[in-house]
Every structure is written in structure tokens, then in C-alpha cells.
Amino acid sequence: MMRFLHNLAKPFTSTTQPQINFPKHLKPTRINLSLKSYLKSNPIKTILLFSDLLRKKISAVDSYSLLYVVKACAKKSLATEGKQAHALVIKLGYKHIIFIQTSLMDMYAATTNVSAVHKLFDEIPNKNVVCWTSLISAYVQNQKSYRALEIFRQMQSDNNVEPDQIAFTVALSACADLGALDKGVSIHDLISRKPEFSEDLSLMNALLNMYVKCGDIRKAMLVFDNIRTKDVRTWTSMIVGHALHGQAEEALRLFSALEEENNPRSRKGRGTEDQLLIPNEVMFIGVLMACSHAGMVEEGKRCFRSMIEVYGIKPTLSHFGCMVDLLCRRGLLKEAYSFILAMPIQPNAVIWRTLLGASGVHGNKELAAAARSKLYELNASLVGDDVALSNIYAAKGMWEEKIMLRNEMTQRRTPGCSSVEVGKLHS
């Protein structure tokens, strides 16, 4: 047994991994505290310390040690190391401890091994709500939300298990992924029967997100208004929801309300600094989308500057894309082109195609040709891009350029082909 465990521990360490000087002569309780501490800050250190423990003092390994190393493997999505930890759990006789079983399920879910998750679940004799939730979460996490809702219904039919806040939260995530509004509404009805659940912010945020993604903005707003203590995720979901559904004014009104919440004068007498709600990058995507849909160029520019200068958020391609869309919708094509050229990161095909489409609408053949050329350089050119430029040439009466472009398209395109299998007909 000892030799087997030593051999099993070897894969946890490697000569290529950094050497870490761990505290020496730790008692088992302190070892577990160290494993737990590293789990929060750097899960790889948890695995390395556990490996060191296996080599030097296997007798110090207990159920907590294994629990922390399994959680570390889950956090880093380490399939091989996770399986090795699972083998140790079995060999040391800890496989029936419920917390380790659910942690193993979470580990296999993180490594996309849903069949292993379900196998572990089936092996648990007395399944509680945590077991069911881990299984449902595994399917949601691996883009199998329909199956997740089927399992949620199975859990509801089990008279010994009642869904808790976390189970409802996971089920609502599945509804959001599928756009399953009817199922989400029925879950909302179950939640409303438990008044204490309305105080769970994570659950309320999941409910809000479900209504937003399913397109019921009216009910989403009702949920938002009923959440007494909102966090940045609450505000982000509602602002992005309004923006996605073309309700630009409502999105910008909410963002203004959030900025007012953060105003020092309005915060007097309302609490401490920890209540400050800092907008995140996702929220600013919603804000910029709203500005674009409403045609509010100056407000969009102000928000973009505020994002960088006030909140210290580094713009992503999505933020730059929203700004290009904003300028293009207002016909400011030259400004959009200059903005793209000044970007600190390489523009992607979506950004250039936005400019190309707007150039087609406004008949700007120079910028259309420039955008098409950039798409060609990115190897992202589509037939539709050439057609857009060709239509501009036709509208301008530039027939020679149109013919040349059509010839280029013919040369680049792979000819289509079809086949027909001819057989004998029998009467």
C-alpha cells in the first residue's frame, strides 16, 4: 500500500515545476490549514504541498487533505491529477464522505467529464440537495442545460430532497441558457413561496438574468426593483438587458442612477465605503450599445473616456466595436476610420465589416475599399464583403471597377459542384 501511494504521488511533482520552500515540521492540522490557504491564493501550491506530504508523511493525509487537493484540481481543471486524487480517496477509504464525493463531482465537471460526474452521483446511496445540485451544475457548466433541467425535475420528484437557493440558482442558469421562459417562471413561482429566499442576492441575480436572457424585460425590471441591496451584477444585468432589447433610454437612465448612487454627496449618511458600486467592463458594453442605438455620440464618447480615465478599465475589442458602431450609425465614417486606425490593439473582422457596411449605406467607396482590403489582409473576407463594395461601384456608375471586382471574386472562389447517383429503377 505504501509503495503504491508513493508511486501514485509521483505524477503530482515534476522536475520542471518551480521548487517551493514549504514550512517544515508542520502538524497535520497546520498542514491542512496550509493546504486550505494555498487553495485560495494559488491552487497549484496546494497540489505541490500535498505531493510533498505524500512523500514525507503519508500518515498525515486525512479526509481534509484530500478534500483540498481535489478542490485545487477542480479550480485548475486538472484532469490527470484529479483522477490520481480520486484514486487516493478510494485507497484511503474516504470515498463515502459526502463532501469529498461532491468535490470530486465538481472536479470532473471542471474537466468536462460529465459521465464521470453522473457515475459518482449514482454511487451515492443517500443523495442530499448538494449532490443533486452538483450534478445539475455539471450539465449546465458543460452546455447541456436541457439535461440539467430534466435532472432538476427528477430532484423535485424526490420527496426527501427540497431544492435550496443554490439549486434554484443553477436551474435558473439552465433556463437562461435555453431561453426557457415558461420553466423559469415556474421556478420563480416556487421561489416566491419561500419569502426568505428573496434575501439571497445570488439567487435574485440569477432570476433577473433569466428574465433578461429570455426577453421578458418587464418582469426583469420588477425583479430588479424588488432587490433591496443590489450589487454590480444586478445593475449590469439590467443595463445590458435594456441595451440588448433596444431600450437605450432606460439603460442610460439606470447607468445615471448608478453613478448618482456613487456620488459622495448622495451617499452621505447611507453607510460605509464598501457599498460603492464600481461599473465593470460588461456594464460599459451595455452602456455603449445603448448610446449607439440611441445615436448619442457625445454621451458615448463621454462614457468611453469615463471608463478609461475614471474607472481604470482597459477597453476590449467589444468596447472599441461599440464605439465604431456608434460613429458609423451616425454617418461619421471618417471619424470611425480614424478611431480604428488609432486603436492600441488590432481591429478584428467585425470592426472592419461594420465600417464596410456603413460605407455601403452612405456610398463611401474609398472607405469601403479600405475596409475590404483590411478584411482581405486578415484572411477574413467573405463573398458578402465583395458584393457590398460591388454594389457601391454600381451605384456610383463605376462599371469598370465593378467588373474587375467580379473577376477577382470569380478567380478566388472555389467552383461549386454537385453529384447525382443514378441507379436502376425497379417497378
Side-chain angles (χ1 to χ4, degrees):
M1 171 74 77
M2 297 291 281
R3 182 180 298 173
F4 171 79
L5 291 174
H6 276 296
N7 291 336
L8 193 58
K10 287 180 181 178
F12 280 87
T13 56
S14 170
T15 55
T16 60
Q17 290 175 325
Q19 294 299 312
I20 300 174
N21 295 320
F22 296 110
K24 296 181 179 179
H25 308 300
L26 291 178
K27 295 180 181 179
T29 53
R30 288 192 59 194
I31 289 175
N32 286 332
L33 289 175
S34 296
L35 289 170
K36 185 178 181 180
S37 174
Y38 288 135
L39 178 62
K40 295 178 181 178
S41 59
N42 188 345
I44 293 296
K45 287 186 178 181
T46 297
I47 296 172
L48 293 173
L49 178 55
F50 182 79
S51 172
D52 195 52
L53 181 62
L54 283 176
R55 288 197 312 269
K56 296 178 179 177
K57 196 175 183 182
I58 293 178
S59 60
V61 174
D62 60 12
S63 59
Y64 286 99
S65 312
L66 288 164
L67 177 65
Y68 297 140
V69 78
V70 169
K71 285 180 176 289
C73 293
K75 281 194 170 187
K76 302 303 290 185
S77 300
L78 300 173
T80 302
E81 290 82 352
K83 289 177 181 178
Q84 292 162 355
H86 189 182
L88 280 170
V89 168
I90 295 170
K91 285 293 178 180
L92 294 176
Y94 294 122
K95 69 175 183 177
H96 296 299
I97 297 177
I98 193 69
F99 296 112
I100 292 181
Q101 288 172 321
T102 53
S103 294
L104 284 169
M105 290 172 69
D106 294 340
M107 181 274 295
Y108 281 117
T111 57
T112 70
N113 192 345
V114 184
S115 60
V117 178
H118 214 129
K119 185 174 183 296
L120 276 167
F121 176 81
D122 291 337
E123 292 172 354
I124 299 174
N126 299 312
K127 301 173 178 64
N128 61 17
V129 67
V130 178
C131 304
W132 283 98
T133 303
S134 292
L135 181 62
I136 297 166
S137 178
Y139 279 98
V140 174
Q141 190 176 337
N142 287 277
Q143 294 77 51
K144 297 181 179 180
S145 295
Y146 185 82
R147 179 67 178 128
L149 288 179
E150 287 182 337
I151 295 168
F152 180 75
R153 284 192 288 269
Q154 291 176 24
M155 180 181 70
Q156 289 178 290
S157 65
D158 188 330
N159 295 326
N160 296 321
V161 178
E162 186 174 351
D164 62 5
Q165 296 98 313
I166 300 175
F168 280 128
T169 299
V170 175
L172 286 169
S173 296
C175 294
D177 290 343
L178 295 171
L181 180 59
D182 290 344
K183 184 60 182 175
V185 170
S186 66
I187 292 175
H188 188 184
D189 181 58
L190 293 173
I191 293 170
S192 63
R193 299 175 191 176
K194 301 273 188 177
E196 66 274 17
F197 282 8
S198 64
E199 301 300 319
D200 189 305
L201 184 55
S202 293
L203 177 57
M204 292 299 102
N205 282 340
L207 185 61
L208 170 61
N209 185 58
M210 183 276 296
Y211 278 123
V212 165
K213 288 190 174 179
C214 291
D216 195 333
I217 298 300
R218 185 186 66 83
K219 283 191 177 178
M221 198 65 203
L222 288 174
V223 173
F224 178 84
D225 290 338
N226 287 327
I227 298 176
R228 289 192 296 179
T229 304
K230 302 174 177 66
D231 66 3
V232 69
R233 290 172 296 178
T234 315
W235 288 89
T236 298
S237 292
M238 199 66 252
I239 290 171
V240 172
H242 280 309
L244 286 173
H245 291 85
Q247 299 175 353
E249 292 183 3
E250 289 83 351
L252 295 174
R253 178 184 59 79
L254 268 186
F255 184 66
S256 297
L258 175 62
E259 289 188 309
E260 183 61 26
E261 288 269 331
N262 290 333
N263 190 315
R265 287 176 294 181
S266 65
R267 287 169 52 79
K268 281 185 178 180
R270 288 191 314 170
T272 57
E273 197 67 24
D274 61 356
Q275 294 176 336
L276 191 67
L277 297 172
I278 306 299
N280 57 26
E281 61 179 44
V282 178
M283 183 184 294
F284 272 106
I285 291 174
V287 170
L288 294 174
M289 284 173 56
C291 291
S292 178
H293 291 159
M296 302 172 66
V297 175
E298 294 306 316
E299 179 65 12
K301 290 179 180 178
R302 184 193 72 80
C303 291
F304 188 76
R305 288 193 301 268
S306 174
M307 178 182 72
I308 299 170
E309 298 169 5
V310 178
Y311 296 104
I313 297 173
K314 187 177 179 180
T316 65
L317 279 171
S318 296
H319 299 107
F320 287 116
C322 288
M323 287 301 296
V324 171
D325 184 63
L326 168 63
L327 296 170
C328 287
R329 282 174 182 259
R330 296 296 292 173
L332 303 172
L333 303 187
K334 290 184 179 179
E335 187 176 349
Y337 184 58
S338 299
F339 180 87
I340 294 171
L341 294 179
M343 284 173 53
I345 55 179
Q346 185 182 37
N348 62 8
V350 174
I351 290 176
W352 285 115
R353 196 162 284 121
T354 301
L355 179 63
L356 175 58
S359 299
V361 172
H362 295 279
N364 191 319
K365 63 180 185 297
E366 290 83 8
L367 291 182
R372 173 186 170 273
S373 175
K374 291 294 185 180
L375 287 166
Y376 190 72
E377 289 177 14
L378 292 171
N379 293 321
S381 181
L382 302 174
V383 173
D385 303 330
D386 294 329
V387 171
L389 183 57
S390 175
N391 291 339
I392 295 175
Y393 287 151
K396 296 285 186 180
M398 303 169 64
W399 303 110
E400 289 185 8
E401 288 82 355
K402 177 181 172 69
I403 292 170
M404 289 175 59
L405 180 57
R406 288 286 183 179
N407 290 336
E408 285 182 29
M409 292 168 59
T410 302
Q411 291 173 6
R412 287 205 310 270
R413 284 171 57 188
T414 303
C417 63
S418 60
S419 62
V420 177
E421 184 175 335
V422 179
K424 293 181 179 180
L425 295 177
H426 299 274
S427 58

